[in-house]
Structure formats: structure tokens, C-alpha cells
Amino acid sequence: MIYKRSSELFAEAEKVIPGGVNSPVRAFKAVGGTPIFVKSAKGAYLYDEDGNRLIDYINSWGPMILGHAYEPVVEAVIEKAKLGTSFGMPTELETQIAALAVSMVPNIDKIRFVNSGTEACMSAVRLARGFTKRDKIIKFAGCYHGHSDSFLIQAGSGAVTFGTPNSPGVTAGTAKDTLLAKYNDLENVAALIEANKNEIAAIIVEPVAGNMGCIPPVKGFLEGLRELCTANGILLIFDEVMTGFRLARGGVQELFNINADIVCFGKVIGGGLPVGAFAARAEIMNYLAPLGPVYQAGTLSGNPLAMAAGLAMLQALDTDRAIFKRLEDKTAYLGAGIERVLKANNVVFTINQIGSMISVHFDANPVTDFQSAAAGDNETFKKFFHGLVAEGVYIAPSAYETWFITDALTYGDLDFTIQAIDKVSKTF
Ligand SMILES: *Cc1c(COP(=O)(O)O)cnc(C)c1O
């Protein structure tokens, strides 16, 4: 494949955009080379600026669960745009998507829309702090909740239980209110709670982790978090920005039958437009302004184009009840195929999969937390990534990412991908 125009466009972008990208992972730093510039996408395929076609396993990092340029979403956006693109006043559409989301997701009475997953998680934590009148939160190493200050925290050294900033610009004052726990390790969480009695407002977790590869919760982990939260007056926040409307109609709460106190959404809920949301039972949501004291706002929140796209997407998922099973079947088929060819080529690997999320780790050991995810062989991953791109298959340019399976992928596409992986893994 030729990337002449992509390379030229990247060089131009670098002059006026830091690193040439508006979100760092797009810059290919983890795999080397220069990013591919997209011209268009339809269904399961991306078409780049050099005329190459790629089967897409990122799908805008999750939102395009029905494939790119899904007609009902595109049509809804076009029709709405003709009626005006933003008012900063209420529209009926906002109530329609809110009512549908509340009907699809268990255990929520009210939902507020924002513009990104970052905003949703940031606002959920503020709400939890206001509601409990406590300051500290627990997050898990390797879980991503967007780029707001409270979440850009890494493990503190030695005896300190609080985190330290992992980006300049995050203050030590902010970092001291975020405690870092190990994913899938209940004892660790219990110890943190014990050491910070009556100080913890919330535990925020990706109930199925997707930002260190795909890491499902071990048996009892989510149940244990629920019990610890209930026993200690802590709110449990499920960050379902990735898993919401993907792993089940009602997300992980439905899938594992566990109630969170606040749930965050993003990605699929916006149908590919910039949307996030957070939701809870009325008692908690009524704590938000203008009803309650916790402030939260947005000039473009509930934007009509974004709501139209989100509503069309949710309606499609709500109507087609077989979709989540169909996605899971395709993903399991892909996983089994990858396993078959990697084994045949004597590659050391672990595959994690749940529903339409899957990740391939180049390490023999089980991948259950950040530490085990980080143990993967990144040199092999780089060869894997570039090899697959050359074959016309696009996966995320980082070993820490999940692949997202869309309904637009055919079994022919999956077979093509498995064959490409067979070919590429022979070169390791
Ligand atoms: C993508 C993601 C976010 C951040 O969402 P943005 O829309 O990128 O701000 C938060 N949490 C999880 C679990 C995510 O996957």
C-alpha cells in the first residue's frame, strides 16, 4: 500500500496542530510510522486519502457499532441540520433520547447529556462528591475515564496510598484525592477504603475494562465492589462510555445484573457525533443544578444534531434485539480464527473477548489488570499492526486498545482478517 498523500497531509498537519493530531493515540507513537488520513468510510470499510481500503476494527473507538455512515443516522443528522444546528434552548428531541435511554438501561431514572465521555465522567464524580459530601475517589490503574485532572493519576510511590499526577499540569492537590487500586483485586480496594474511612465519595470503574486491551471483570469483582460501596456509603460509578449500548441493550449493569449508582455514557450513545451522558436514580440526579446544588452545564449540550444521531442509533439498537448476540457471535468467530492461526504459527499470545470487544496480547499469561496487560511484547505488536495495515486491515495503533466489532462486518471480512493474521504472524 502507498501512503504518499497521508504522509504529506500529516506533514502539513504537524505545522499547525500539536503532533499533527487532535488526540494523541492517532499519531502512531506506539507503533511508529505516520498516521493514515481518512477520506471516507462506509459500513465495515475505511477509505484513505491514497485510495486504500481498510477493514476497520476501531470504528471511531467504538461509536460506529452498526458500521460507518449508517443511513438512518446520516439521514437524521441531515434533516435536523436544515432546521438549525444549535439553539441553547430546550428541544423535544432531548426528551425523546433521554426517555429511550432511560427505558433501555436498568436502574436509572434521569440522564443528562454532555459532549464527551470525559465530561460525563468528570461530572459524575463531581455529582458523587456533592451527594456524599466527601472528597476522595478510587479509580483503577489502567482504567481510562477521559482526560480530566482527577483521572490523570498514577500509583504513588512506597508507603503513600494516594496517587501522583501522571501529566504535568495536574496538581498534587488534585492527585491526593484520587486513590489508585488494582483492577480485579477486591482486597486492594477494601484496604484503601479501610485506610480512608468515611472519606471516599465514589469508586469509578470500567465494569468491563477496554482501555488496557479488553479485560473482563473476574467472577465476584463487580459484586464485591457493589457490596463494599453499599456497606461504606460510597457511590459506585460504572463508566460505560465504551460498554454502554454495546455489550448489552442495558450495558454491563444488565449483562452482569449489578446496579451502579451513577452510569457514564459516550461513544455509541452519540451515533458518531460528540456526545456523552451520565445517569442515575432521581434522588442522585436531582442533586444537579438547577434542581440541586451541584453545578454542571454546557452551551452545546443536547445539541440537536448530536441528539438526532444518538436517537437514531439507540432506536436501531432498541428495535433489533438480536444485534448483541449477532455481534458476540461474529467476535467469537474472529477470536477462534485468530487463535487457530496464531497457534499454528507458534506465536505466544492471549486473547480476551467479551461480547463485541476483543483484544490480542502477545504474552502467554492471563491478562487481568494493568500490570499483566503491560507485560505484552510491544515489538511483536508493532509488526502485527503494520503487517495488518499492509494487508488492508486496520486495528488500533496501540497494544492497549480493544478491537470493536461492528454489525457491518461480514463473515467474509472476518475470514479475510484471519487469513491476513495468518500471513502476518508467519513473519514474526
Ligand atoms: C473513550 C472513553 C472515555 C472518554 O471519552 P471521550 O469522549 O474520549 O472524552 C471515558 N471512559 C471510557 C471507558 C472510555 O472508553
Side-chain angles (χ1 to χ4, degrees):
M1 286 202 187
I2 293 168
Y3 301 108
K4 188 169 176 298
R5 193 161 153 73
S6 274
S7 303
E8 288 164 4
L9 288 171
F10 186 56
E12 288 304 308
E14 281 184 296
K15 292 179 193 160
V16 285
I17 302 172
V21 292
N22 281 312
S23 196
V25 70
R26 297 177 197 168
F28 277 27
K29 289 286 182 220
V31 290
T34 56
I36 297 165
F37 276 58
V38 178
K39 184 157 193 177
S40 68
K42 180 70 191 167
Y45 309 119
L46 294 168
Y47 299 90
D48 74 11
E49 289 282 357
D50 287 284
N52 303 306
R53 190 195 88 169
L54 296 147
I55 300 180
D56 187 11
Y57 286 98
I58 305 188
N59 291 291
S60 185
W61 305 91
M64 318 318 297
I65 191 168
L66 301 176
H68 290 285
Y70 179 68
E71 295 285 337
V73 170
V74 173
E75 284 307 313
V77 172
I78 291 171
E79 287 312 309
K80 270 297 157 199
K82 292 178 189 162
L83 303 175
T85 57
S86 180
F87 314 115
M89 294 166 75
T91 59
E92 183 181 6
L93 192 54
E94 292 163 85
T95 309
Q96 289 169 340
I97 185 173
L100 181 56
V102 165
S103 77
M104 290 173 78
V105 177
N107 187 42
I108 61 171
D109 300 320
K110 295 187 179 183
I111 184 165
R112 179 161 284 173
F113 285 88
V114 293
N115 307 289
S116 67
T118 295
E119 258 189 87
C121 295
M122 176 186 86
S123 306
V125 163
R126 183 182 307 139
L127 178 58
R129 285 173 165 155
F131 187 79
T132 59
K133 303 181 174 61
R134 297 175 178 180
D135 289 346
K136 292 186 178 170
I137 60 167
I138 292 177
K139 86 168 278 283
F140 294 89
C143 281
Y144 182 68
H145 307 294
H147 65 93
S148 89
D149 287 6
S150 296
F151 304 125
L152 295 182
I153 305 297
Q154 61 196 1
S157 59
V160 294
T161 56
F162 50 82
T164 58
N166 73 354
S167 165
V170 176
T171 66
T174 297
K176 81 170 180 20
D177 285 329
T178 300
L179 310 174
L180 222 65
K182 214 173 145 205
Y183 198 74
N184 276 329
D185 186 342
L186 274 181
E187 278 175 27
N188 182 213
V189 178
L192 282 176
I193 294 174
E194 197 51 44
N196 297 273
K197 268 276 177 222
N198 301 321
E199 290 186 88
I200 297 170
I203 295 177
I204 185 166
V205 64
E206 286 182 67
V208 167
N211 285 288
M212 42 183 168
C214 168
I215 302 187
V218 295
K219 209 168 157 34
F221 179 58
L222 297 178
E223 291 83 348
L225 290 182
R226 180 64 272 173
E227 282 167 22
L228 283 169
C229 284
T230 304
N232 292 281
I234 297 168
L235 296 187
L236 180 59
I237 304 175
F238 273 9
D239 176 355
E240 297 222 44
V241 169
M242 191 180 278
T243 55
F245 305 102
R246 170 170 288 281
L247 291 187
R249 193 169 156 273
V252 176
Q253 285 194 107
E254 176 190 314
L255 194 64
F256 291 123
N257 193 26
I258 294 170
N259 285 347
D261 296 303
I262 306 178
V263 189
C264 304
F265 298 103
K267 300 193 168 111
V268 173
I269 202 172
L273 269 78
V275 180
F278 59 107
R281 48 186 194 272
E283 174 202 8
I284 298 174
M285 290 308 273
N286 290 348
Y287 234 73
L288 280 176
L291 278 185
V294 173
Y295 191 69
Q296 190 280 324
T299 301
L300 290 172
S301 292
N303 171 268
L305 301 193
M307 296 297 96
L311 181 61
M313 178 63 90
L314 295 196
Q315 280 169 338
L317 298 175
D318 189 44
T319 312
D320 183 357
R321 296 289 169 98
I323 181 153
F324 298 104
K325 173 78 170 72
R326 199 158 68 232
L327 285 168
E328 170 150 42
D329 288 347
K330 286 182 186 179
T331 314
Y333 180 87
L334 177 67
I338 297 175
E339 186 170 333
R340 194 173 62 241
V341 298
L342 290 184
K343 263 197 189 133
N345 293 321
N346 298 315
V347 177
V348 173
F349 70 96
T350 296
I351 293 176
N352 283 359
Q353 186 241 321
I354 179 168
S356 56
M357 294 165 62
I358 183 169
S359 56
V360 181
H361 304 261
F362 294 107
D363 192 73
N365 298 310
V367 176
T368 57
D369 58 13
F370 183 67
Q371 214 180 350
S372 46
D377 177 358
N378 203 46
E379 289 310 309
T380 301
F381 180 80
K382 285 185 198 174
K383 286 186 216 158
F384 186 61
F385 172 80
H386 287 292
L388 284 182
V389 168
E391 295 297 320
V393 175
Y394 193 64
I395 63 169
S398 158
Y400 288 100
E401 307 293 349
T402 298
W403 309 21
F404 299 104
I405 298 330
T406 81
D407 203 35
L409 283 161
T410 64
Y411 280 86
D413 294 324
L414 300 175
D415 285 334
F416 180 93
T417 304
I418 293 162
Q419 279 165 25
I421 290 174
D422 184 28
K423 189 169 165 192
V424 169
S425 58
K426 282 185 168 55
T427 68
F428 286 174

